Amino acid sequence: MASLDKVADNHVEQIAESVHSIDDKQKGADIDNARQLAQQYVPGSPEEKALLRKLDWRLIPCVWVLYLLGFLDRANIGNAKTGGLEDDFNLTSNQYSIIVIVFFISYLICEVPSNMILTRVRPHVYLPGLGIFWGTVAACMGATQNWGQVAGLRFLLGVAEAGFAPGCAFYLSSWYRKYELATRYAFIYTSVPLAGAISGLLAGLITEYMDGAAGLAGWRWLFILEGIASIVAATVIFFLMPDYPSTSKRFLNEEETILACNRLAMDGIALTQGAHGEGLSHWKAFKMCVSDWRTWAQCILFTLVTGSQTMSYFIPTLISSFGWKGHSGQYHTIPPYAAALTYIVVCAWLADRYRTKWPFLAGLSGLGTVLFIAVTLTTDKMTRYILTIFAFGTIYGCSPLVKTWVADVIPHPAEKRAIAIALINSIGNASSIYGSWLWPSKDAKHGYIPGFATTTTWLGMCSILTLVFAWLFNKYPVKKVEQEDIMASELRAQREKIARV
């Protein structure tokens, strides 16, 4: 284990050396200033609370809205299928699975390069830019004439959306402390089940009341209207979203900037686009990431969670098998997502409240295992529907816990953290490629037992491995960068920037 950590440990030493290699007199002044800042920092002070409020009211709404609209544009394929697309294109089960799969192929390929770019550019340009891209692609799906065109645009949609989810996870980890991150990310992640619930509501309304408007089928209007909503929202957010703590002078004053950086340094979290991260190439950061066993541990957990989450693309189909079809079936997709929203908020809040994530991740995935076993063994359709509501929610509750756990175990350097988050998200979503084949139409008469059984197994493995990895993380903790080294380096960079001006 120790040999796998050498590259990361060497980087920690390089950070300290970069501080100590400058002029001795100036070095001492920077170190003294950094120590004073560390001593002055009081968690929960009025200044910190004011900063957190400022962050929460600006960062969270911007990311939340884009997350919501992105998931609407991604997941509305299921509603479009049952809303007329399947009949219009004579869609087979295999063709639909391909349409779902191609999204994840491009999504998987583009995530890591996207987060590499994000460490070098301004988030307020890049993240909303992705929103405009995917909104345009989604709207164009309303003009498709065959299933092959739908599949092609879904591939482009994956390219557009690939950088957003891991980009947001990295972006938030560059602003919030470890014990603040889960709640904030979970609040943003509530947009996912909410989007699922809204998707069912919108699909029901649009396919019912706009079918035939301007000579277009209702499922076409579903793609067009939701795509346009993403374009408009992303354009507005471009003017509202701040960048990183070290590069958001229009959003933070000097005192707020120092406080924002000092808070992260207290946790040993490397500052994105900060002084000590300069000079670390993408290739070097990538090698540091893939040589760290912690990255692969998190990959395994997220693979199990996202594999289970492919169930969301077949919720309308599952609801139909329970006896509700048409517009009624669309509305019955809402309760599972409502349960998911509850799990997400409660479990993430508890994780931050007790400053630990693994007990809640292990417990939630264990609960999901038990509930899905009950679903598999039950034959009554109403009972299966109710159990599915509560079991489905546990999957969504696990996802933000895994994603925010990454920042705890891989805090520095920032470039490595960005690649780790993207790589974990990318490899995890690879499970969605084969997971999308778990719910074929031929299994409907048997109650989709193979799909439910596989999901049960994945969640059970997630619960057990969470306990194993938590023990390993504790036994082999990552070497922490000292707060004074991070802040001394940052103070020097700010001083040199002023001198150049």
Side-chain angles (χ1 to χ4, degrees):
M1 291 282 182
S3 62
L4 295 176
D5 294 330
K6 284 184 179 180
V7 177
D9 291 347
N10 288 340
H11 186 76
V12 173
E13 294 171 2
Q14 290 171 7
I15 293 174
E17 288 173 3
S18 69
V19 176
H20 298 302
S21 63
I22 60 177
D23 178 77
D24 287 342
K25 183 176 180 181
Q26 190 59 61
K27 175 194 68 177
D30 289 339
I31 290 292
D32 288 342
N33 287 339
R35 286 174 178 166
Q36 289 176 10
L37 288 172
Q39 294 172 355
Q40 292 171 2
Y41 174 63
V42 179
S45 66
E47 292 78 14
E48 184 177 36
K49 289 180 179 179
L51 176 63
L52 274 174
R53 285 194 298 270
K54 189 172 185 177
L55 298 181
D56 289 343
W57 282 103
R58 181 67 70 87
L59 272 66
I60 303 303
C62 288
V63 177
W64 189 91
V65 169
L66 284 178
Y67 224 113
L68 175 95
L69 294 171
F71 195 83
L72 278 176
D73 289 331
R74 178 195 309 189
N76 59 13
I77 186 66
N79 297 110
K81 172 178 177 274
T82 58
L85 183 148
E86 182 177 28
D87 294 334
D88 287 355
F89 291 166
N90 295 317
L91 203 63
T92 67
S93 178
N94 284 341
Q95 288 172 341
Y96 179 69
S97 292
I98 291 172
I99 289 173
V100 173
I101 285 172
V102 294
F103 171 89
F104 291 106
I105 292 175
S106 57
Y107 194 93
L108 185 154
I109 294 171
C110 297
E111 284 190 84
V112 172
S114 181
N115 256 26
M116 286 180 172
I117 295 172
L118 186 56
T119 63
R120 298 289 196 264
V121 303
R122 292 185 175 274
H124 90 274
V125 175
Y126 191 67
L127 294 177
L130 292 178
I132 293 174
F133 183 11
W134 82 59
T136 302
V137 172
C140 288
M141 290 177 67
T144 54
Q145 299 302 313
N146 56 64
W147 79 272
Q149 293 176 358
V150 176
L153 287 174
R154 286 280 297 180
F155 183 88
L156 289 179
L157 189 68
V159 173
E161 291 202 25
F164 191 73
C168 287
F170 173 68
Y171 177 64
L172 294 177
S173 74
S174 301
W175 279 100
Y176 290 103
R177 296 190 65 180
K178 293 177 182 178
Y179 63 85
E180 301 166 345
L181 187 58
T183 301
R184 269 73 182 187
Y185 188 79
F187 182 79
I188 289 170
Y189 202 72
T190 59
S191 62
V192 176
L194 184 60
I198 292 175
S199 181
L201 179 62
L202 288 177
L205 293 174
I206 293 173
T207 57
E208 183 176 1
Y209 295 106
M210 293 202 66
D211 188 36
L216 299 177
W219 65 266
R220 295 185 183 276
W221 280 112
L222 184 63
F223 286 132
I224 294 170
L225 295 179
E226 291 183 357
I228 291 175
S230 292
I231 295 171
V232 173
T235 302
V236 174
I237 289 171
F238 168 80
F239 297 99
L240 299 176
M241 179 177 280
D243 293 319
Y244 295 116
S246 297
T247 57
S248 293
K249 303 306 178 185
R250 290 185 298 177
F251 176 58
L252 303 177
N253 59 38
E254 184 177 352
E255 291 76 14
E256 290 171 332
T257 298
I258 294 297
L259 177 58
C261 293
N262 200 23
R263 281 165 25 86
L264 297 175
M266 178 68 73
D267 282 350
I269 298 176
L271 303 176
T272 308
Q273 296 183 0
H276 60 278
E278 294 178 356
L280 185 62
S281 68
H282 288 317
W283 177 238
K284 185 175 181 180
F286 181 79
K287 289 193 295 184
M288 291 174 66
C289 176
V290 297
S291 66
D292 192 337
W293 62 272
R294 299 171 186 83
T295 302
W296 302 109
Q298 294 287 338
C299 278
I300 293 172
L301 294 178
F302 198 61
T303 296
L304 295 171
V305 172
T306 53
S308 303
Q309 203 166 330
T310 54
M311 179 182 176
S312 65
Y313 293 93
F314 297 88
I315 278 290
T317 303
L318 291 174
I319 297 301
S320 295
S321 73
F322 293 148
W324 294 283
K325 302 183 184 298
H327 308 308
S328 176
Q330 302 283 15
Y331 298 136
H332 274 83
T333 63
I334 298 174
Y337 288 103
L341 188 150
T342 303
Y343 279 116
I344 289 171
V345 173
V346 172
C347 291
W349 180 83
L350 289 172
D352 275 352
R353 172 69 175 79
Y354 293 99
R355 302 193 179 188
T356 183
K357 296 179 177 67
W358 69 264
F360 301 100
L361 177 58
L364 197 58
S365 53
L367 175 62
T369 302
V370 173
L371 289 172
F372 274 117
I373 289 175
V375 172
T376 306
L377 297 176
T378 303
T379 57
D380 180 73
K381 291 185 177 181
M382 177 57 76
T383 302
R384 295 192 81 203
Y385 173 64
I386 294 173
L387 288 172
T388 299
I389 290 173
F390 293 102
F392 179 73
T394 65
I395 301 173
Y396 276 86
C398 290
S399 188
L401 293 176
V402 177
K403 281 189 176 181
T404 55
W405 201 7
V406 179
D408 291 3
V409 298
I410 309 176
H412 60 78
E415 290 82 357
K416 176 187 174 183
R417 188 173 76 248
I419 293 173
I421 290 172
L423 184 64
I424 290 164
N425 208 65
S426 176
I427 293 178
N429 277 292
S431 62
S432 298
I433 295 177
Y434 50 83
S436 62
W437 296 91
L438 292 175
W439 312 90
S441 300
K442 64 181 179 64
D443 287 343
K445 60 182 178 180
H446 300 298
Y448 293 98
I449 296 298
F452 281 118
T454 304
T455 301
T456 302
T457 303
W458 282 344
L459 285 178
M461 291 175 61
C462 180
S463 182
I464 294 170
L465 290 176
T466 295
L467 299 175
V468 174
F469 293 146
W471 178 79
L472 289 173
F473 294 153
N474 183 64
K475 186 174 183 179
Y476 303 100
V478 65
K479 186 174 181 180
K480 184 180 178 181
V481 181
E482 293 299 325
Q483 179 188 12
E484 64 183 42
D485 286 336
I486 294 177
M487 287 307 299
S489 182
E490 189 64 26
L491 290 171
R492 176 168 58 89
Q494 297 293 342
R495 186 182 63 254
E496 291 176 351
K497 185 182 294 184
I498 294 174
R500 287 196 298 268
V501 176

